[in-house]
Structures are given as C-alpha cells and as structure tokens.
Amino acid sequence: VAVMKLKNPPVNTLSLEFLTELVICLEKLENDKSFRGVVLTSDCPGVFSAGLDLTEMCGRSPAHYAEYWKAVQELWLRFYQSNLVLVSAINGACPAGGCLMTLTCDYRVLADNPRYCIGLNETQLGIVAPFWFKDTLENVIGHRAAERALQLGLLFPPAEALQVGIVDQVVPEEQVQSTALSAIAQWMTTPDHARQLTKAMMRKATASRLITQRDADVQNFVSFISKDSIQKSLQLYLERLKEKKR
C-alpha cells in the first residue's frame, strides 16, 4: 500500500501543474506491480484540498481554460477508473474539487472535526457542477440527496456527511490514517482480478459518459467560464479570499 500525501501549500489547490503531477504519481504506482492500493491524504494542516485553482480560471485565455479543464478531466478519469484500491483519509476541509477527488475513491474516512466539511459547493461561487461531477456524487449518495446538495452547494460537517453517505466512516482525527489502512486491508482480501473487473463494470457507464463527450465538455466549460458575469464573480471571490488572508 502506498500513501500519497497531497502537498501544494497552503491549501492543496488543484493547479494545472499539481493536477498533472497527481496523474503521473498514480500512473507510476499503477505500473509498479508491487502496489495494490493507495491511501490518499493531505500533508497540509486542516485542509485535504480546497479544490480547483480559481486563478487558473480567472483572467486567462480560452486556450488556457481548455488546457486546464482537460487536466481536470484527466485526473477524474484516471482516479475513477484506477485498478488500484483507493481510500481517502480525509484529514481536513474538503470542498468542491477536493470532494470530487475523494468521490473517485473506493472508500472514504473523515476526521471528526466540525471544521472539516465536505461537499460540492460550486453553486455558492456561481458555478454549475458539470454532469460528471453530478454523476459521481449521485452514484455515492443517491439522486434526491445529490439534487439537494448540488442546488444548495452544501458542505457537510462530519456527522451529516456520514448520515448522507458521502463518507463511509468518521473517526477521531488521530485515527484517520490507521482506519484508512485497515479499510484498504479489507478491500485487498478480495482477489485483485475479480475486484478490478467488478469495479470496472460498476463504473463503466459513468466514465463512458465523459469519455464520449470530452471535447464538448471542454467547450462548454470554456464558454461558461469566459462569460463576463462569471469572470466578475470569480474575481470578487478571489478578492474576498485575499482580504481574509490579510
């Protein structure tokens, strides 16, 4: 079992470079036959991942938006379709793209800290979660819960996250890593070939929806993110973040 620690301080935002590094790292582990599973966790205190890097989506060229979105798609496709057992040890806040990354995993363990909320909160920023974000969440928590969570941009604190099913276990913070390792050991008792084929069968339809529409999805993202109104709301949000840091 490999432990992959996200380290892009201060909040593990998924920049273009970081997305690319994550995919390369997973590929290396998949190609090394001595690894059967990966625990995904954070090396940044209090934050698992703050999600997509808004600076990659603000005040840049359409070509850059397209390149960035292709990298987001690639991360999701690689993690969602990985043959390895992937378990998230969520040891910090986990909104938006951070949540999406954990949803690609086979199992999720969340630290019991009221500040560590998890969810797809895109609507709160005036952004619409793409269909494959929606599909991934819906597969985990069901249609009605996903519809409510996505429209309201909900971030679930640990007890609610467990209740809605967006995570599988909530444990004291100091036990997150050990619990994730215990969970992965259980998943690895199943013969790899049978588990991998079953995982592929369960996930094929969801993955295929994006694979067959990748270019159209990129174009939709670029045209949406390039709108003046969206750029203005992103700029306002980034300015508010800067003021908070001050």
Side-chain angles (χ1 to χ4, degrees):
V1 173
V3 177
M4 195 192 288
K5 291 186 175 179
L6 306 178
K7 191 174 184 180
N8 187 25
V11 291
N12 286 334
T13 44
L14 301 171
S15 65
L16 182 57
E17 186 184 1
F18 195 45
L19 287 168
T20 308
E21 276 182 33
L22 283 166
V23 169
I24 290 166
C25 193
L26 184 69
E27 260 184 1
K28 280 181 184 168
L29 293 170
E30 286 172 338
N31 292 332
D32 182 339
K33 297 306 173 206
S34 60
F35 289 104
R36 295 174 62 207
V38 180
V39 170
L40 194 62
T41 193
S42 168
D43 205 40
C44 293
V47 182
F48 180 82
S49 170
L52 301 186
D53 188 343
L54 298 183
T55 64
E56 301 275 16
M57 297 154 58
C58 197
R60 311 288 278 264
S61 69
H64 183 84
Y65 299 146
E67 186 187 7
Y68 182 64
W69 198 245
K70 281 175 191 165
V72 178
Q73 290 178 337
E74 190 64 18
L75 178 88
W76 181 81
L77 287 166
R78 289 304 178 91
F79 275 70
Y80 192 67
Q81 297 181 101
S82 178
N83 272 334
L84 296 167
V85 179
L86 300 181
V87 173
S88 291
I90 308 164
N91 54 344
C94 194
C99 175
L100 181 76
M101 193 159 36
T102 70
L103 289 171
T104 65
C105 293
D106 298 291
Y107 198 83
R108 285 161 289 284
V109 181
L110 175 62
D112 193 3
N113 182 319
R115 294 196 310 277
Y116 298 173
C117 294
I118 181 169
L120 296 176
N121 60 323
E122 280 76 2
T123 51
Q124 295 289 339
L125 314 181
I127 300 171
V128 178
F131 71 87
W132 42 285
F133 283 48
K134 181 271 294 179
D135 289 346
T136 316
L137 182 65
E138 189 181 340
N139 290 347
V140 174
I141 67 171
H143 189 278
R144 171 62 191 139
E147 184 177 46
R148 177 172 167 263
L150 286 169
Q151 286 196 52
L152 297 176
L154 296 180
L155 289 170
F156 298 101
E160 286 179 39
L162 184 63
Q163 188 179 14
V164 80
I166 200 167
V167 298
D168 299 293
Q169 270 184 279
V170 170
V171 297
E173 199 157 349
E174 65 278 6
Q175 293 172 27
V176 171
Q177 186 104 347
S178 59
T179 305
L181 288 166
S182 299
I184 214 165
Q186 185 195 355
W187 281 73
M188 284 175 14
T189 58
T190 310
D192 279 345
H193 66 284
R195 186 196 55 75
Q196 288 166 357
L197 287 168
T198 304
K199 180 176 181 175
M201 174 180 67
M202 292 297 296
R203 296 187 172 203
K204 187 180 179 185
T206 301
S208 295
R209 278 193 73 194
L210 177 59
I211 291 164
T212 56
Q213 300 178 63
R214 273 189 90 165
D215 291 344
D217 183 61
V218 169
Q219 285 165 5
N220 286 342
F221 173 76
V222 172
S223 61
F224 179 77
I225 215 75
S226 299
K227 286 180 182 169
D228 285 345
S229 58
I230 302 300
Q231 284 294 308
K232 275 176 188 157
S233 67
L234 286 176
Q235 277 160 359
L236 279 171
Y237 186 74
L238 285 168
E239 280 161 21
R240 283 209 305 272
L241 284 180
K242 277 179 195 164
E243 279 165 20
K244 271 187 192 172
K245 283 174 192 169
R246 287 189 196 122

